[in-house]
Amino acid sequence: MSCCAPGVEAAAEIGRDPSAEELKLASRDLGDGLYQTDLSVPGVHCAACIRTVERGLGKLAGVESARVNLSTKRVGVKWRGDAPPPMIQALAGFGYPAHLFEAEQDKGDPELSRLIRAVGVAGFCAMNIMLLSVSVWSGADAETRQAFHWISAVLALPALVYSGQVFFRSAWSALKVGRTNMDVPISIGITLAFSLSLYDTFHNGRHAYFDAATTLVFFLLIGRTLDHVMREKARAAVRGLVRLSPRGATILRDDGSHDYLPVSEVEPGMRILLAAGDRVPVDGMVVEGASELDCAIATGESAPLHVVPGSALRAGTLNLTGPLTLAATAKAQASFLAEMVRLMEAAEGGRARYRRLADRAAQLYSPVVHATAFLTFLGWMAATGDWHRAIGIAIAVLIITCPCALGLAVPIVQVIAARRLFENGIMVKDGSGIERLAQIDTAVFDKTGTLTLGRARLVDVEASDEAMLAVAAALAARSRHPLSRAIASGLDSGTPIALTEIIEQPGLGIEARVGGDSYRLGRSEWALVDGKLGQGTVLGRNGQFAAGFMFEDTLRPGTADALTALQGQGLGVAILSGDQPATVAATARQLGVEHFEGALLPGAKVSRLGELAAEGKRMLMVGDGLNDAPALAAAHVSMAPATAADIGRNAADFVFLHESLAAVPTALAVAREAGKLVRQNFALAVVYNAIALPIAIAGYVTPLVAALAMSLSSVLVVANALRLKAGKVTKTASAVQSEHLSGPQAMAAAE
Amino acid sequence: MSSLVFLVPLALVLGAAALGGFLWSLRSGQYDDLDGAAARILLDDEEDEN
């Protein structure tokens, strides 16, 4: 596919594709031999993508139908048969890398449909009442007015009883614990307005506030629904990303038979077969075989770890070279992962204490509104002695100050900001993340997988002659080890060399014969006769040194620019990593970062963040590994790349899908502008109240004035929020983003 | 005045019909993929449908 073949930035490329058993395990049984598998396909983004994916999958044997959901970037495939069709391989063939999606979490969203139904009902009632009210305001005679008021009362009832429930419930649950929130004045306002209007209708009164009460419910529900949609959309997108922890494991029974069990059923003592390219499902010990493990996601260490029988393995690490047999030492719930969850829960205190701007405003707002309305009532009682009039004016005060603007002020801005971020490949978990991001003054980064891609790149070669390099390239091309791949892509292979007797020794290297010479590429102690431990990767010719290779982790594209941009905005930048201090120092020097620390354990990262927080700093933590998850939970606000471990992604407030780190300054720019617009909206609400409140207290607010004032303030707030779209900051930021994106794509094309 | 006797109920019935239509479309999943609906309009009809 031409225009929209997704670039290499599309999410992660981890290990290998899920096996057929794993696919089947993740599929839903629709009955009648029909299964549905949900795949996350981050690359689809236009009509041509939909067509390619749906037609391509539809042609596979066994596939009944395939339906792409562009909003959630997912495809649901219905298929028949004993084994799932090769969907993921087929999708990869079309240029759309796909990942397994959690089927059990895909259960729709009852809360959202309830909210939308409530909005629909309130909208219907409000509009019809408004229609009738306009004729009343334009001077209907007493008889018609009376009839219209009665119809309005009947119409207002469902809006109040059904749609209003959303507010009543929230207000009640706040009052039950002795607190007050924005929904308390709303509930009192609409209930009183309805009751008084009903009373007036009985007694042939001239004014009824049915329209105000229902319109208020309608507008506020729109804000509530937008807020909910934004949170759910991001949550769904994040959930749909690649899973790093395997969902099952191949168990080797004592009688030699194999079983594929879900991870949760793996018991300590069971023997697990782990192929090269698989992730370790639970903590375990190697019983048989030797290999190298990629621990980057678990510990932040960038160099592969050599394991032999007896080595302890942590869940989540990736087996790189050879098949292993493990003995499970812990259940899934007690594995390394679970330990991280405990640390995270302990660290989460600071985040939980943060109260959203709207809640803080409500805390201030509702007592003021109630007091004003009550004083108005007392004042009019004292002045006129007419309790009906006094209550009517007090209700007008409640309605006019009802936080229409406040109810919309924050969610509408956050919805638009989230949309902007989404377009830039950044997911937001909830609105408070945007608020918190705007407040940060320090950005703390993890190294492996965050600043770097965790992919080795050949930087230096030391060779006796050119021919040796050609041999090394030929050998490296036969291996899937990350360092071999780096050598193969870093060296010009030149003329092909005939290799014979190629053997890959897991955990050691690869060997072969060329003519009469034996070559070994790998660990120095294995490749060289007199090799010592820790000399790095070498090519040995009959046991003699022939070439040495130096590697470096590849930086994420846009890293240097992103850090410069952050420092340019006056933010402090620091690196906290679990990798070797020397490696961390090299990366920090290369990026011009002064504050860095290496060899940190997960707990130490949290305590470092705690120390910074004690200095009064507000930190953004950007990290990807399991070992970062507690720190992500502890920081004021956190961000993780899509390639991060599940648990890290769940802990982060923001998840960025593209490879480039430019997402960080982009998100910051959007968050800051959103913060500015929210403050402006609050200012608008205050100005509106300053004008409307005296008029209401003076008793000049008729239903017509109330309707006009409310609509005007809501429209103003929404219009102001829409200005974010035109924000210059975000435009330039997204331009930078796309520039960075073209980088890796161009490189991939060149390869 | 007499015209209102059937015009107002008529307006209400029409409004209620629209509300019913909205609730029906909501239930049948027509709002599940708004971006997709916007893009699908550009696709040709499936010629190889069988």
Side-chain angles (χ1 to χ4, degrees):
Chain A
M1 275 314 296
S2 51
C3 78
C4 30
V8 285
E9 87 279 5
E13 25 163 83
I14 304 270
R16 41 155 226 182
D17 296 330
S19 63
E21 292 96 336
E22 198 165 358
L23 264 181
K24 178 128 191 197
L25 208 60
S27 303
R28 258 181 302 164
D29 192 348
L30 302 179
D32 212 15
L34 199 63
Y35 290 91
Q36 171 156 356
T37 309
D38 286 310
L39 298 173
S40 165
V41 193
V44 291
H45 71 273
C46 69
C49 302
I50 294 181
R51 190 178 50 209
T52 314
V53 169
E54 288 187 354
R55 287 216 184 141
L57 286 177
K59 283 188 186 125
L60 289 178
V63 172
E64 288 270 310
S65 68
R67 177 92 185 172
V68 173
N69 185 324
L70 196 62
S71 314
T72 50
K73 304 214 181 296
R74 260 187 258 158
V75 57
V77 186
K78 290 189 180 140
W79 53 272
R80 284 179 192 284
D82 297 327
M87 299 171 270
I88 295 195
Q89 293 84 335
L91 282 170
F94 312 140
Y96 297 96
H99 317 294
L100 209 48
F101 185 78
E102 282 279 296
E104 65 265 33
Q105 286 179 342
D106 184 29
K107 280 200 191 111
D109 183 1
E111 176 65 14
L112 178 65
S113 18
R114 212 171 65 88
L115 275 171
I116 292 185
R117 274 199 304 274
V119 170
V121 170
F124 162 75
C125 298
M127 283 172 206
N128 279 295
I129 293 175
M130 196 52 85
L131 212 64
L132 300 172
S133 300
V134 169
S135 17
V136 172
W137 298 333
S138 52
D141 56 57
E143 198 185 335
T144 317
R145 188 189 68 209
Q146 194 55 24
F148 280 10
H149 277 173
W150 274 115
I151 299 172
S152 299
V154 171
L155 280 171
L157 207 60
L160 206 69
V161 173
Y162 182 74
S163 307
Q165 258 181 41
V166 177
F167 305 107
F168 299 151
R169 276 206 197 129
S170 149
W172 178 239
S173 58
L175 285 177
K176 249 194 328 206
V177 293
R179 291 234 310 271
T180 166
N181 63 10
M182 202 74 103
D183 291 332
V184 176
I186 294 173
S187 302
I188 296 180
I190 54 180
T191 316
L192 278 181
F194 180 78
S195 315
L196 187 83
S197 304
L198 204 60
Y199 174 87
D200 277 351
T201 306
F202 265 113
H203 295 85
N204 294 326
R206 287 197 55 217
H207 294 308
Y209 288 94
F210 294 120
D211 65 297
T214 48
T215 315
L216 199 65
V217 171
F218 180 50
F219 277 143
L220 289 172
L221 271 176
I222 291 177
R224 203 57 60 95
T225 311
L226 285 178
D227 199 37
H228 185 83
V229 165
M230 192 203 76
R231 293 189 211 186
E232 268 317 297
K233 186 172 185 174
R235 236 172 267 162
V238 170
R239 275 204 304 254
L241 293 169
V242 56
R243 294 167 44 93
L244 288 193
S245 49
R247 77 182 54 233
T250 311
I251 302 295
L252 183 65
R253 299 281 185 202
D254 292 337
D255 58 6
S257 65
H258 293 181
D259 256 340
Y260 193 79
L261 289 186
V263 170
S264 53
E265 291 175 20
V266 176
E267 298 285 338
M270 282 186 174
R271 294 208 295 164
I272 302 167
L273 288 181
L274 194 71
D278 277 354
R279 281 191 184 270
V280 178
V282 295
D283 288 358
M285 204 171 55
V286 181
V287 182
E288 219 181 298
S291 179
E292 280 179 318
L293 287 186
D294 179 355
C295 303
I297 210 106
T299 62
E301 221 162 308
S302 48
L305 181 74
H306 181 52
V307 293
V308 290
S311 308
L313 301 184
R314 278 170 167 174
T317 50
L318 178 68
N319 183 16
L320 289 173
T321 41
L324 292 173
T325 309
L326 312 178
T329 53
K331 290 171 75 93
Q333 302 90 306
S335 284
F336 179 61
L337 216 80
E339 187 191 322
M340 289 302 108
V341 174
R342 277 193 296 281
L343 267 174
M344 267 168 65
E345 281 165 358
E348 225 154 23
R351 190 84 56 86
R353 276 199 303 275
Y354 180 82
R355 289 178 52 234
R356 297 182 62 177
L357 209 53
D359 294 340
R360 277 180 290 166
Q363 199 77 15
L364 208 70
Y365 199 82
S366 34
V368 171
V369 169
H370 287 147
T372 314
F374 190 63
L375 286 177
T376 309
F377 171 74
L378 288 184
W380 278 93
M381 268 306 268
T384 63
D386 179 356
W387 70 269
H388 179 259
R389 188 155 178 218
I391 287 185
I393 291 170
I395 288 173
V397 169
L398 268 184
I399 288 183
I400 210 100
T401 53
C402 240
C404 235
L406 280 184
L408 279 172
V410 180
I412 187 81
V413 172
Q414 286 177 349
V415 164
I416 290 168
R419 177 84 204 175
R420 285 261 101 182
L421 292 171
F422 193 75
E423 285 164 7
N424 282 301
I426 305 164
M427 310 287 177
V428 196
K429 283 273 185 58
D430 72 84
S432 86
I434 299 180
E435 285 174 22
R436 281 181 275 123
L437 182 60
Q439 301 171 336
I440 60 155
D441 53 20
T442 310
V444 180
F445 291 87
D446 166 50
K447 186 185 75 71
T448 317
T450 307
L451 291 175
T452 68
L453 289 169
R455 260 182 242 151
R457 186 169 61 94
L458 188 64
V459 282
D460 203 8
V461 184
E462 178 196 351
S464 48
D465 67 85
E466 289 291 316
M468 290 302 108
L469 293 184
V471 174
L475 269 171
R478 302 303 185 99
S479 165
R480 284 183 54 198
H481 191 279
L483 294 184
S484 296
R485 286 188 186 174
I487 293 177
S489 66
L491 290 178
D492 183 15
S493 52
T495 48
I497 293 172
L499 302 173
T500 51
E501 297 173 38
I502 307 162
I503 303 165
E504 181 156 16
Q505 301 278 7
L508 298 172
I510 184 164
E511 64 176 312
R513 298 190 78 84
V514 180
D517 295 322
S518 151
Y519 286 93
R520 282 179 166 189
L521 176 66
R523 302 181 153 262
S524 53
E525 69 269 23
W526 169 74
L528 307 180
V529 175
D530 57 350
K532 285 183 254 356
L533 208 67
Q535 266 178 286
T537 304
V538 298
L539 176 69
R541 180 190 188 185
N542 301 325
Q544 299 305 310
F545 179 86
F549 303 92
M550 254 68 77
F551 302 94
E552 196 180 78
D553 209 350
T554 327
L555 282 180
R556 234 173 226 283
T559 301
D561 290 346
L563 293 192
T564 315
L566 291 176
Q567 281 164 334
Q569 293 187 35
L571 291 176
V573 174
I575 299 176
L576 295 181
S577 173
D579 203 358
Q580 303 304 321
T583 327
V584 181
T587 310
R589 256 198 311 281
Q590 192 183 348
L591 292 168
V593 176
E594 282 172 25
H595 305 282
F596 58 88
E597 253 180 280
L600 289 173
L601 293 172
K605 283 197 186 193
V606 176
S607 53
R608 282 298 295 135
L609 288 184
E611 286 162 28
L612 283 170
E615 289 169 26
K617 296 223 159 67
R618 288 168 188 257
M619 286 143 309
L620 161 70
M621 173 79 205
V622 189
D624 77 315
L626 282 176
N627 61 331
D628 294 316
L632 288 172
H636 191 56
V637 58
S638 52
M639 223 168 157
T643 47
D646 292 356
I647 172 177
R649 267 198 325 258
N650 289 335
D653 297 296
F654 295 82
V655 173
F656 56 100
L657 300 180
H658 296 313
E659 208 165 60
S660 168
L661 209 60
V664 179
T666 305
L668 182 64
V670 171
R672 286 192 167 168
E673 208 196 332
K676 207 175 74 195
L677 287 173
V678 166
R679 282 195 298 280
Q680 286 175 2
N681 274 351
F682 276 134
L684 278 175
V686 168
V687 168
Y688 155 81
N689 275 324
I691 297 172
L693 201 57
I695 302 177
I697 294 175
Y700 288 113
V701 170
T702 59
L704 174 61
V705 174
L708 280 180
M710 255 166 31
S711 314
L712 190 71
S713 70
S714 300
V715 167
L716 257 180
V717 163
V718 172
N720 189 47
L722 285 172
R723 295 196 311 134
L724 181 69
K725 209 153 206 162
K728 278 193 185 110
V729 192
T730 52
K731 257 188 193 159
T732 49
S734 60
V736 171
Q737 173 95 6
S738 57
E739 215 167 87
H740 286 309
L741 282 183
S742 61
Q745 271 170 336
M747 270 160 57
E751 279 169 3
Chain B
M1 182 61 204
S2 59
S3 58
L4 289 179
V5 171
F6 54 91
L7 279 183
V8 169
L10 190 65
L12 291 179
V13 167
L14 283 177
L19 178 66
F22 171 71
L23 292 178
W24 166 76
S25 63
L26 184 69
R27 195 160 309 144
S28 64
Q30 294 186 29
Y31 297 97
D32 287 356
D33 181 16
L34 295 174
D35 293 348
R40 275 175 204 278
I41 195 170
L42 300 172
L43 293 178
D44 294 331
D45 289 336
E46 295 282 320
E47 61 265 24
D48 54 354
E49 196 89 79
N50 41 21

